[in-house]
Amino acid sequence: MRYTLLLAIAILLFTTCKKDKFTTAPQINYKSIAPNVVDNLSASPVITFSITDAEGDIGINANETAFIYIKNLLVNAFDSLPFPDLQSGAKRNFEAEVDITVPSSVLKCNSLPNGALHTDTVFFEIYVKDFAKNKSNLITTAEPLYFICR
């Protein structure tokens, strides 16, 4: 009887402590960056992340726009871009993968005094805000972007 009671309490604690996958504030997880080697003359890299949101209030609608915020950690360049229009798919307990092209406003590197060709290692921080201005968790790209600077 005592072991049954302890087992029941342990199961109850385990199930109640489980973190909910869908929360009011969006939750994002880094997936990839490709290509991971670029120069200022080539196409911008694309960052892929997954997102979950309990209300699905992200994307673009007639009255509001959700935004993605991105920061280049090397030079502290920061910008925001409107979230892709996902309203056809946005619903309660929303889950998706999102691809964003790194804007040229944050795709910057350190320049050398003599203007020599060099490669900088760049990481990005990203977060999103939904229509209700709930801020997601902050993610950092796990692998670097090698940016060849001229």
Side-chain angles (χ1 to χ4, degrees), residues 8 13 15 20 29 34 58 61 64 81 89 105-107 130 132 138 140:
L13 286 174
T15 57
D20 192 9
N29 290 303
I58 54 175
N61 70 21
E64 299 178 279
L81 39 141
S105 57
V106 296
L107 194 56
D130 62 15
L138 180 70
T140 303

Side-chain angles (χ1 to χ4, degrees), residues 24-148:
T24 296
Q27 297 296 308
I28 59 176
N29 290 303
Y30 173 77
K31 295 289 186 184
S32 65
I33 186 168
N36 69 338
V37 178
V38 296
D39 64 20
N40 55 358
L41 302 176
S42 62
S44 293
V46 174
I47 297 174
T48 303
F49 61 90
S50 63
I51 184 167
T52 60
D53 187 58
E55 293 81 18
D57 58 342
I58 54 175
I60 300 171
N61 70 21
N63 302 322
E64 299 178 279
T65 301
F67 283 90
I68 301 168
Y69 299 87
I70 184 168
K71 179 180 180 181
N72 174 330
L73 295 177
L74 178 68
V75 296
N76 289 323
F78 179 81
D79 202 357
S80 63
L81 39 141
F83 213 94
D85 184 6
L86 301 173
Q87 286 308 299
S88 61
K91 60 189 180 312
R92 294 193 79 62
N93 294 338
F94 176 77
E95 186 172 12
E97 277 198 3
V98 178
D99 293 331
I100 59 164
T101 301
V102 176
S104 60
S105 57
V106 296
L107 194 56
K108 299 182 183 300
C109 59
N110 289 322
S111 40
L112 296 178
N114 61 0
L117 183 69
H118 67 285
T119 301
D120 275 339
T121 303
V122 182
F123 289 90
F124 298 95
E125 280 184 346
I126 301 169
Y127 67 91
V128 302
K129 284 189 179 178
D130 62 15
F131 295 155
K133 307 301 182 230
N134 294 312
K135 182 180 173 181
S136 75
N137 57 308
L138 180 70
I139 60 171
T140 303
T141 53
E143 59 254 0
L145 169 70
Y146 299 103
F147 190 45
I148 304 167

